Amino acid sequence: MLSVLVIDESRSRAAEICAGLALAGYQVAAILADSANLTAEVEKLQPDVILIDTESPSRDTLENLAVVHKNMPRPVVIFTQEDGQSAIRDAVKAGVSAYIVDGLDPKRIKPIVDVARVRFEDTQAMRRELDEISRKLSDRKLVDKAKGILMKARDLDEEAAYHAMRKLAMERGQSMSKVAKDVIDMARVLL
């Protein structure tokens, strides 16, 4: 069963949200009046989704969400009356998956949470892919730099420098990027 952390300063609105979550088949992990201890609560409760109902997301709320998003990412849904572009942009930067303006209808909670979860999963997959591509590009730059060092120091052409590094990587059972880093580090000491 999906666990949802609810944040709402209004007890009556929180009760409506909890009723909507129960109808949707979700479990309420806890109800908080504000986001002051959000990181600690998320760490303790480990909710699957965070749902916030507020007139306008405060700077503190968005900062707390950004910390949670960085350290313990999970889907976040905000119901609010604030429809300004900067508020929406700030919320998305803080890791909000769904920013819903103009009211909360308990019957709409399930599809909204479902969309937020799918969007969150897609965003996380893209983030992992971007991290992997960035790592590969960084590795490639290291290998190219190390090849240049070998070409200059041993008067090799590019292919021979690459094969020398590849042979060393295979002999050591290391990645090309590790060998490249070692070559660069040695060049700093010796050249």
Side-chain angles (χ1 to χ4, degrees), residues 1-19:
M1 181 179 284
L2 196 71
S3 167
V4 181
L5 174 61
V6 176
I7 302 172
D8 195 331
E9 60 267 2
S10 165
R11 281 294 203 200
S12 61
R13 284 191 319 221
E16 286 179 44
I17 292 170
C18 291

Side-chain angles (χ1 to χ4, degrees), residues 28-44:
V28 175
I31 302 170
L32 305 177
D34 59 45
S35 67
N37 297 320
L38 185 60
T39 303
E41 292 293 332
V42 168
E43 193 169 357
K44 179 176 79 176

Side-chain angles (χ1 to χ4, degrees), residues 54-73:
T54 183
E55 291 296 319
S56 177
S58 70
R59 177 72 39 214
D60 288 343
T61 297
L62 295 177
E63 287 173 1
N64 288 326
L65 284 174
V67 169
V68 167
H69 184 66
K70 181 180 178 191
N71 300 321
M72 299 171 283

Side-chain angles (χ1 to χ4, degrees), residues 143-144 146-148 150-151 154 156-172 174-176 179-180 183:
V143 169
D144 286 347
K147 279 192 308 189
L150 288 176
M151 289 165 63
R154 295 180 64 196
L156 300 172
D157 65 10
E158 185 176 358
E159 187 176 337
Y162 179 81
H163 285 296
M165 286 178 40
R166 183 176 167 93
K167 181 180 178 204
L168 187 57
M170 291 173 71
E171 287 171 358
R172 290 183 175 179
Q174 297 176 333
S175 67
M176 284 288 285
V179 169
V183 167

Side-chain angles (χ1 to χ4, degrees), residues 68-116:
V68 167
H69 184 66
K70 181 180 178 191
N71 300 321
M72 299 171 283
R74 55 209 353 98
V76 177
V77 177
I78 290 185
F79 289 94
T80 184
Q81 298 302 313
E82 177 64 50
D83 63 355
Q85 286 296 318
S86 65
I88 294 168
R89 189 173 296 111
D90 291 344
V92 170
K93 283 182 184 176
V96 173
S97 306
Y99 189 93
I100 311 301
V101 178
D102 199 25
L104 166 68
D105 179 356
K107 289 179 260 177
R108 292 178 35 210
I109 288 178
K110 182 169 178 27
I112 289 170
V113 168
D114 289 346
V115 168

